[in-house]
Amino acid sequence: MRIFVLGILITLVSNSQANNDFFTSELAQNLCQKAWYRTGNLVNKPLKLIRGEKDLVAYVFKTTSRRSTIKLVNIKSQIIKEFAIEGNVEDVLFDDNQIIYLTHSQIIIYDKDLDIEISTFDILPPDMRVSKYAYARGLYMSATHYYVAFGRYGVLEMDRKSQKLVRIINPQVPQPRGEHYSLVTDIEGANNKLYFSYDNITSSDKNRAFEGLVIYDLIKGSVSKIIPVNQRVEAYYMSRLYQISDELIISNLHLNFRHKLQKLERSRYMKPFQRLWKYPQGELIGSAYIKEKSLSGCFLDPINEVISSGTYQL
């Protein structure tokens, strides 16, 4: 699908800030060397995403079609713990002494200090199957529940204690034609609201299926807002969500769109107040680590084929 954007150049953090930033360290630079490589004319980008909390940063690499490699970095000690997980890891959350990994069909919980698997459980009921447009892509966690973005199925709500499916939330979004379909690609939450990002599955010569955002009110148990993108000027592609402070960031490929949560409730279209799309070090590889007012990750200079790690101010 075509994507039309206007960009605001992100500025590189100052040298004084960079000295204290893990993502500008030699260790981070070395990790990014694994993010991209060339085999003959074939370009490989195994780095899928970077997630972190406090002193821990997890780099997720796709090793094979059915296995992921995790490089878990302790920023303070500079120690890297590497291990494999069966399945395609799509999201990582940190919670107290646990790290939660989401694969296409399971949630896997590890002890943060011991790196021992505590629990693994399926997130689909027996009568449902993983398919091209129905697999787990994003995870949000409240005090009592997991919420899993699961493509055409919508969002799976699971009880954290029993690890059982509670219900499936699958709002009906407006479609230009009856035969069009969309899928939920990621989920975030804030202030008793859930945010579902949608991409289109189907398209025709004249229109595409719904792309945009759905806001779901957990208190009322209903949809409070449906906001499409303006398909004449831009599009989503398997977008991911990040909630930081009072903002929601929607990532598509190398694009990062910033939205104020408060303004979304009054928005007619998904119109960001800033579009981040161009990075001095090159194109962003995989899904960046976004925290508060910074975006960190691995970048590729496609002309010189130079890979580097870096952090940019939002």
Side-chain angles (χ1 to χ4, degrees), residues 189-222:
N191 305 318
N192 292 312
K193 301 282 182 66
L194 296 177
Y195 299 87
F196 308 164
S197 182
Y198 282 77
D199 189 14
N200 69 308
I201 296 176
T202 56
S203 63
S204 62
D205 292 338
K206 295 183 179 180
N207 48 51
R208 302 194 302 266
F210 176 84
E211 300 161 281
L213 191 78
V214 168
I215 304 176
Y216 187 88
D217 191 312
L218 283 170
I219 302 299
K220 296 179 180 178
S222 61

Side-chain angles (χ1 to χ4, degrees), residues 2 12 40 54 57 152 156 168 175 206 250 256 264 268 273 282 301 307:
R2 294 179 297 172
L12 184 64
K54 297 178 182 177
V57 177
R152 282 191 62 177
L156 312 183
I168 298 175
Q175 300 289 6
K206 295 183 179 180
I250 301 180
N256 289 279
L264 283 173
R268 182 180 176 187
F273 72 87
D301 175 352
I307 308 210

Side-chain angles (χ1 to χ4, degrees), residues 15 54 252:
N15 289 333
K54 297 178 182 177
N252 307 275

Side-chain angles (χ1 to χ4, degrees), residues 54-295:
K54 297 178 182 177
D55 299 326
L56 286 177
V57 177
Y59 286 72
V60 179
F61 295 86
K62 182 178 180 181
T63 311
T64 69
S65 60
R66 296 185 179 181
R67 175 174 289 191
S68 299
T69 296
I70 311 297
K71 294 181 184 289
L72 190 63
V73 186
N74 186 305
I75 294 176
K76 286 188 174 180
S77 67
Q78 301 282 288
I79 292 175
I80 302 176
K81 296 179 181 179
E82 181 175 326
F83 54 96
I85 288 182
E86 292 299 321
N88 292 290
V89 173
E90 294 288 346
D91 209 349
V92 182
L93 294 182
F94 295 79
D95 180 54
D96 295 329
N97 65 333
Q98 297 180 350
I99 305 178
I100 300 119
Y101 298 97
L102 176 73
T103 71
H104 284 186
S105 61
Q106 292 182 320
I107 288 176
I108 304 171
I109 304 174
Y110 273 72
D111 182 282
K112 185 185 292 184
D113 299 317
L114 302 176
D115 295 323
I116 296 174
E117 186 177 318
I118 300 172
S119 176
T120 297
F121 57 95
D122 294 331
I123 55 180
L124 272 180
D127 60 332
M128 298 173 76
R129 295 287 182 270
V130 171
S131 64
K132 181 178 180 180
Y133 297 116
Y135 62 89
R137 278 190 50 85
L139 179 65
Y140 170 72
M141 181 174 60
S142 71
T144 56
H145 292 84
Y146 295 114
Y147 297 92
V148 183
F150 213 95
R152 282 191 62 177
Y153 290 157
V155 172
L156 312 183
E157 180 180 8
M158 306 196 68
D159 184 271
R160 289 184 61 180
K161 186 176 182 180
S162 68
Q163 300 179 346
K164 300 296 183 182
L165 180 67
V166 176
R167 60 173 174 159
I168 298 175
I169 308 171
N170 196 9
Q172 297 300 306
V173 294
Q175 300 289 6
R177 298 175 65 175
E179 64 269 25
H180 277 312
Y181 296 96
S182 304
L183 71 162
V184 182
T185 62
D186 204 2
I187 182 170
E188 263 289 5
N191 305 318
N192 292 312
K193 301 282 182 66
L194 296 177
Y195 299 87
F196 308 164
S197 182
Y198 282 77
D199 189 14
N200 69 308
I201 296 176
T202 56
S203 63
S204 62
D205 292 338
K206 295 183 179 180
N207 48 51
R208 302 194 302 266
F210 176 84
E211 300 161 281
L213 191 78
V214 168
I215 304 176
Y216 187 88
D217 191 312
L218 283 170
I219 302 299
K220 296 179 180 178
S222 61
V223 172
S224 63
K225 188 78 173 180
I226 297 176
I227 318 170
V229 300
N230 185 342
Q231 292 184 331
R232 292 175 297 177
V233 295
E234 58 195 17
Y236 284 173
Y237 177 74
M238 302 303 279
S239 52
R240 291 184 178 271
L241 303 180
Y242 305 89
Q243 191 272 316
I244 54 171
S245 186
D246 62 341
E247 293 181 19
L248 187 70
I249 296 180
I250 301 180
S251 295
N252 307 275
L253 302 175
H254 61 291
L255 310 168
N256 289 279
F257 299 160
R258 299 177 68 186
H259 300 263
K260 291 292 185 182
L261 290 175
Q262 200 170 29
K263 288 187 176 181
L264 283 173
E265 297 285 351
R266 304 187 301 271
S267 299
R268 182 180 176 187
Y269 291 105
M270 292 301 295
K271 185 178 180 180
F273 72 87
Q274 188 180 29
R275 291 174 169 88
L276 311 174
W277 65 280
K278 189 174 183 181
Y279 309 93
Q281 288 176 251
E283 65 181 55
L284 182 64
I285 302 175
S287 180
Y289 176 30
I290 297 175
K291 57 177 182 177
E292 294 310 317
K293 299 299 180 183
S294 66
L295 180 151

